[in-house]
Amino acid sequence: MSEHGAVAFRKHAGLAAVVATVAVAVGALLPRTPEARLSSLVGVGLAAVTGAVALVLKRRAVSQDLNAALKVVGWVFGMRAVGVVVGLLWVVTRGLEAVAFVAGFFGTYFALQWIEVSYVMAASKGAAGGDE
């Protein structure tokens, strides 16, 4: 990986860590009931973990070809879909609040998705050697 790619990855990983930290704080402080708080934190946790895995997988794919990048997008989408289903089933079977889970997961996911897209664009630009 080039120096530019390593710098871009560290920057975006740091941003993702900040987003995850803020999401945990919001998930812990905003819900009024303990059930909603737990549901929200489970959603935030799943989104943060899948986001971290996604960023690492995209880091590897950027250094390869377009087919590798597209495979990673598919794998990450599937991983997150499974995470949502498993997390939602876990929350519902315990009588917790599904809406809080969905809000925690997708609120965190959308912010992390922007960071992942930004990283891929920055790393691709660096790999291409300029402003293409």
Side-chain angles (χ1 to χ4, degrees), residues 40-107:
S40 176
L41 289 173
V42 168
V44 168
L46 277 172
V49 167
T50 58
V53 171
L55 198 57
V56 169
L57 290 175
K58 289 177 181 178
R59 178 185 186 185
R60 288 184 185 172
V62 166
S63 65
Q64 297 175 10
D65 60 356
L66 180 60
N67 284 336
L70 291 174
K71 285 179 188 176
V72 166
V73 169
W75 278 106
V76 167
F77 180 80
M79 175 184 60
R80 284 182 166 139
V82 168
V84 167
V85 169
V86 169
L88 197 52
L89 287 172
W90 187 87
V91 165
V92 169
T93 59
R94 281 157 182 76
L96 302 173
E97 296 190 28
V99 173
F101 170 82
V102 169
F105 183 91
F106 285 103

Side-chain angles (χ1 to χ4, degrees), residues 7 13 23 39 52 62 83 89 103 108 115 121 124:
V7 169
S39 296
V62 166
L89 287 172
T108 307
I115 292 169
M121 290 174 59
S124 296

